[in-house]
Amino acid sequence: KAGVTQTPRYLIKTRGQQVTLSCSPISGHRSVSWYQQTPGQGLQFLFEYFSETQRNKGNFPGRFSGRQFSNSRSEMNVSTLELGDSALYLCASSIRDNRDTQYFGPGTRLTVL
Amino acid sequence: GQQLNQSPQSMFIQEGEDVSMNCTSSSIFNTWLWYKQDPGEGPVLLIALYKAGELTSNGRLTAQFGITRKDSFLNISASIPSDVGIYFCAGQYYGGSQGNLIFGKGTKLSVKP
């Protein structure tokens, strides 16, 4: 069974731009969560989607948004990029909901110049 | 918000030595998870613990879910060079605005052949 895939793997943007990251969960998994990983703050939860609905949200500004499609694939969007948004963005999928074990993708490395 | 204290922050050991790391929290968790992350990759699940007091092994790895549900440890026996990486503990709870998975800051393991 294929694992969680994320595209693109690397991205370079400039301040003020916006970016969209994509995540395809493990086949049969319906819950997708997004995390931001930085050296200073570690791994921080962004939001979780299930059945095309955002079910949980972390403490990030409204510039960070996401959505989920009917095939469980998910996208994350960051608008008006800031230098501090440079991070590894990780997507994790689980079978049904946030009580199930989450499996991570390889991440998208975003660099904001 | 909830935080996990993971220690030690880093370890530099000789090949063949045993390794021990732990996580503590002021909050109770329903599940404890241990992940390993290699540079540029997403975290890979090593062991999941679902019940207080549970002791689980995965090859040379052994982890325990503390009786108080506020702590967990991970042991690696007879370390080998491929054990190098960053190990994260994660506490999982059901519901809450922060999202269900809270991560420790990681233990960076270096193994000298």
Side-chain angles (χ1 to χ4, degrees), chain B residues 20-76:
Chain B
S20 185
M21 59 191 80
N22 69 84
C23 272
T24 60
S25 172
S26 57
S27 304
I28 288 174
F29 289 103
N30 300 105
T31 303
W32 281 94
L33 303 156
W34 286 91
Y35 289 87
K36 179 181 180 234
Q37 186 175 25
D38 292 326
E41 299 295 327
V44 174
L45 181 66
L46 297 173
I47 293 180
L49 302 156
Y50 300 105
K51 214 164 69 170
E54 179 182 354
L55 184 72
T56 297
S57 292
N58 178 8
R60 294 178 296 105
L61 277 59
T62 301
Q64 184 158 33
F65 191 146
I67 289 289
T68 64
R69 294 169 62 192
K70 294 182 180 180
D71 62 311
S72 177
F73 72 75
L74 174 71
N75 287 342
I76 305 173

Side-chain angles (χ1 to χ4, degrees), chain A residues 31-79:
Chain A
S31 171
V32 173
S33 297
W34 288 90
Y35 295 83
Q36 182 195 64
Q37 186 176 30
T38 59
Q41 298 298 319
L43 273 152
Q44 293 186 292
F45 172 76
L46 281 156
F47 29 65
E48 183 215 357
Y49 284 87
F50 177 80
S51 288
E52 303 176 63
T53 301
Q54 187 181 87
R55 194 159 55 178
N56 270 314
K57 191 176 188 306
N59 296 325
F60 279 82
R63 299 185 297 107
F64 291 82
S65 63
R67 59 177 177 167
Q68 187 181 34
F69 302 94
S70 58
N71 61 358
S72 294
R73 190 176 71 83
S74 177
E75 287 182 348
M76 190 193 101
N77 184 274
V78 187
S79 63

Side-chain angles (χ1 to χ4, degrees), chain A residues 2-42:
Chain A
V4 178
T5 57
Q6 290 187 246
T7 56
R9 289 294 309 274
Y10 302 92
L11 208 47
I12 299 175
K13 292 284 187 179
T14 55
R15 275 182 299 175
Q17 286 187 308
Q18 75 164 19
V19 67
T20 299
L21 313 180
S22 180
C23 170
S24 292
I26 292 171
S27 177
H29 285 198
R30 294 174 61 194
S31 171
V32 173
S33 297
W34 288 90
Y35 295 83
Q36 182 195 64
Q37 186 176 30
T38 59
Q41 298 298 319

